[in-house]
Amino acid sequence: MSRQMKLGAFLMATGHHVAAWRHPDVPANAGLDIRHYRHLAQVAEAARFDALFVADSVAAPTGDIASHMARSDHFEPLTLLCALSAVTEHIGLIATATTTYNEPYHVARKFASLDHLSGGRAGWNLVTSDAAAEAQNFGRDQHLGHAERYSRAREFHQVVTGLWDSWADDAFIRDKASGRYYEPSGLHVLNHQGEHFSVKGPLNVARSPQGQPVVVQAGSSETGRDLAAQTAEVVFTAQTSLRNAQAFYRDLKARLADYGRSEDSLKIMPGVFIVVDESAERAWEKFEAFQALVEPQVGVALLGRMLGNFDLSGYPLDGPLPELPLTDSGQRSRQLLLTELAGQEQLTLAQLGRRIAGGRGHYSLVGTPTQIADELQVWFEQGAADGFNVLVPHLPGGLEDVARLLVPELQRRGLFRTEYEGSTLRENLGLQRPANRFQFKQS
Ligand SMILES: Cc1cc2nc3c(=O)[nH]c(=O)nc-3n(C[C@H](O)[C@H](O)[C@H](O)COP(=O)(O)O)c2cc1C
């Protein structure tokens, strides 16, 4: 069968558009409504999406502008996905968990547990935290700097995956006759001692159905790409143009050889913000209805956050984007992308804030199923993407539109599955089940 694209449904409470919660079709309390999420999961699964994807921040935005956004209360991703694992059967469940304000044992344990709960559908989106405010919830005044976050992330990944291999696949024999619950020779104690962590192990969860949950990564700076080349199996990235996306794709795939990995072992999935309707006119009307609800200061506050945690409230709304230092606390790749966009199109601060109010700088498509499928097909066939993480302006409506209108068009073109290939996230993504890295003396 010819290569097909992978699709993630990037869920976010009321939707990705910063003003979505104010729209009459959107339940404003969606962030903490399990029925809302259950519906989203079932819509995405019926459409054969590879996975649900949930981002995270371990801090609540506060202040006057934050009080105009629906971003200060939402479910914690792992517990949410555990609940959704019970009402779905096929779809992958990818939760974000930061390596900056967590301990590896906790993360290894919880994701292994989700992998068991869901029958092999867990994925871990490994991030280094791009919200500086998180520091103050974890005993620090200042967020860790970019380089240190990545150094910690690398070792964090090593420990987590080491813990996931604590047990041979068949270590738990649970033999009632002999009274032996596990085979001692199938146990590996990690005894990790490193710069950031000291973790003895083993994990108190048997090796999980996928061997290891799928590791997703979402940093795109130089350091982020290098970590991804070494450790990630899926990369989520923000790209604004085909040319940039192709360059990113080529660069990241080329780095895999340095780590002895094949190009197939890493799937690159740019985010794409989609507003689809039967006619282009209606799709644009729908999009503009959200845009009309954006308060300029809210757009600019979102912009400041996405540029890497800058307060832009002192700058004139109709002036240009000010020169900012390279962010140490936020996403360098997104800072570069948004600065480039402002320069290329000569946008004022308010215009740029409005521009990113929906897709936060991700590639944005508004149009008919044919128009959108044409664009996705080009990216997919011309070396820019293995699939897409789909962002929609509002939920549940935006996802229902994609499932009803766009997915059938992609299927008609043979670009997307009509049935799940396997029962685990790995099988559906076309990723191998990793062998245990430790040698066990079992027969
Ligand atoms: C597309 C994308 C999505 C991201 N999602 C999150 C997230 O949900 N939570 C988070 O703390 N960081 C997130 N990050 C940031 C990562 O933590 C990243 O490791 C860090 O900001 C550094 O990014 P950089 O390598 O692009 O500088 C995301 C980054 C990108 C590029």
Side-chain angles (χ1 to χ4, degrees):
M1 196 186 39
S2 61
R3 177 175 167 257
Q4 292 189 320
M5 61 175 71
K6 310 297 169 194
L7 291 180
F10 184 172
L11 305 184
M12 185 176 281
T14 49
H16 287 269
H17 196 287
V18 75
W21 71 274
R22 302 180 62 201
H23 193 279
D25 294 347
V26 174
N29 65 346
L32 289 174
D33 182 351
I34 188 60
R35 287 166 308 174
H36 171 72
Y37 276 99
R38 186 167 59 207
H39 175 66
L40 300 178
Q42 289 168 345
V43 169
E45 184 165 81
R48 311 286 189 263
F49 272 77
D50 288 81
L52 304 175
F53 179 94
V54 184
D56 196 33
S57 160
V58 277
T62 56
D64 185 49
I65 301 296
S67 78
H68 286 242
M69 298 180 180
R71 298 284 189 254
S72 302
D73 72 334
H74 49 82
F75 283 121
E76 185 285 315
L78 256 174
T79 41
L80 170 64
L81 291 181
C82 287
L84 296 181
S85 76
V87 294
T88 51
E89 281 178 36
H90 305 283
I91 197 161
L93 306 162
I94 302 175
T96 298
T98 178
T99 53
T100 303
Y101 302 112
N102 263 311
E103 286 291 325
Y105 197 96
H106 282 319
V107 167
R109 181 183 188 213
K110 289 173 189 176
F111 280 90
S113 186
L114 177 60
D115 208 37
H116 280 283
L117 274 174
S118 62
R121 296 186 282 135
W124 169 35
N125 180 33
L126 178 167
V127 298
T128 70
S129 285
D130 56 9
E134 296 182 15
Q136 292 170 28
N137 293 330
F138 297 91
R140 291 181 170 273
D141 295 333
Q142 295 281 324
H143 196 32
L144 291 183
H146 197 265
E148 192 175 358
R149 296 207 308 280
Y150 269 117
S151 147
R152 187 178 153 104
R154 196 176 292 272
E155 189 180 331
F156 197 111
H157 171 270
Q158 201 188 340
V159 177
V160 167
T161 51
L163 287 170
W164 282 338
D165 284 349
S166 292
W167 303 93
D169 282 309
D170 52 1
F172 286 88
I173 49 175
R174 303 184 184 100
D175 183 3
K176 293 188 181 188
S178 67
R180 183 77 96 184
Y181 191 76
Y182 73 81
E183 177 56 56
S185 62
L187 162 65
H188 184 272
V189 180
L190 189 63
N191 281 320
H192 174 89
Q193 296 282 347
E195 186 187 339
H196 302 278
F197 305 106
S198 158
V199 180
K200 182 158 187 276
L203 198 65
N204 54 359
V205 183
R207 199 154 192 270
S208 70
Q210 295 187 98
Q212 299 188 355
V214 173
V215 176
V216 183
Q217 221 264 107
S220 300
S221 61
E222 268 297 309
T223 337
R225 292 178 196 202
D226 197 55
L227 178 67
Q230 187 181 4
T231 64
E233 301 176 278
V234 176
V235 163
F236 172 39
T237 177
Q239 302 293 330
T240 41
S241 68
L242 175 64
R243 205 163 49 88
N244 288 351
Q246 285 168 326
F248 179 84
Y249 188 96
R250 267 196 311 272
D251 175 90
L252 188 47
K253 294 264 177 173
R255 290 175 195 238
L256 292 168
D258 295 345
Y259 297 99
R261 300 179 62 193
S262 73
E263 294 210 351
D264 265 6
S265 65
L266 173 78
K267 309 292 172 195
I268 299 180
M269 297 177 60
V272 58
F273 174 80
I274 294 178
V275 186
V276 62
D277 213 319
E278 271 107 351
S279 74
E281 202 183 3
R282 279 180 46 192
W284 279 104
E285 264 171 32
K286 200 186 283 177
F287 179 55
E288 288 303 335
F290 293 107
Q291 290 294 80
L293 295 171
V294 182
E295 298 171 89
Q297 295 85 342
V298 169
V300 171
L302 178 69
L303 176 64
R305 159 94 172 79
M306 296 317 298
L307 281 162
N309 305 302
F310 292 101
D311 179 3
L312 301 176
S313 60
Y315 296 94
L317 287 170
D318 57 0
L321 179 67
E323 287 233 349
L324 298 168
L326 183 66
T327 180
D328 199 37
S329 63
Q331 293 180 32
R332 291 194 174 160
S333 52
R334 194 78 60 107
Q335 184 181 32
L336 189 70
L337 177 158
L338 296 174
T339 309
E340 227 178 71
L341 185 67
Q344 271 165 5
E345 304 195 15
Q346 297 289 301
L347 299 173
T348 65
L349 214 50
Q351 286 169 333
L352 187 58
R354 226 173 105 78
R355 171 66 78 87
I356 64 146
R360 297 191 297 283
H362 286 281
Y363 183 49
S364 295
L365 294 171
V366 181
T368 63
T370 309
Q371 290 170 332
I372 294 175
D374 285 348
E375 287 289 315
L376 298 183
Q377 184 162 2
V378 168
W379 278 47
F380 178 64
E381 290 179 349
Q382 297 185 14
D386 296 313
F388 301 92
N389 210 7
V390 176
L391 294 73
V392 294
H394 63 307
L395 289 166
L399 185 64
E400 290 166 350
D401 292 341
V402 168
R404 181 174 56 89
L405 298 168
L406 179 61
V407 169
E409 177 60 26
L410 295 172
Q411 289 168 330
R412 198 182 59 71
R413 298 179 186 202
L415 290 168
F416 189 59
R417 69 166 68 82
T418 50
E419 286 304 332
Y420 285 103
E421 294 83 2
S423 63
T424 68
L425 175 58
R426 280 185 183 283
E427 286 164 0
N428 290 321
L429 288 175
L431 294 168
Q432 291 196 340
R433 187 180 193 276
N436 198 311
R437 77 195 58 189
F438 303 119
Q439 298 292 319
F440 296 97
K441 290 190 290 302
Q442 282 171 286
S443 54

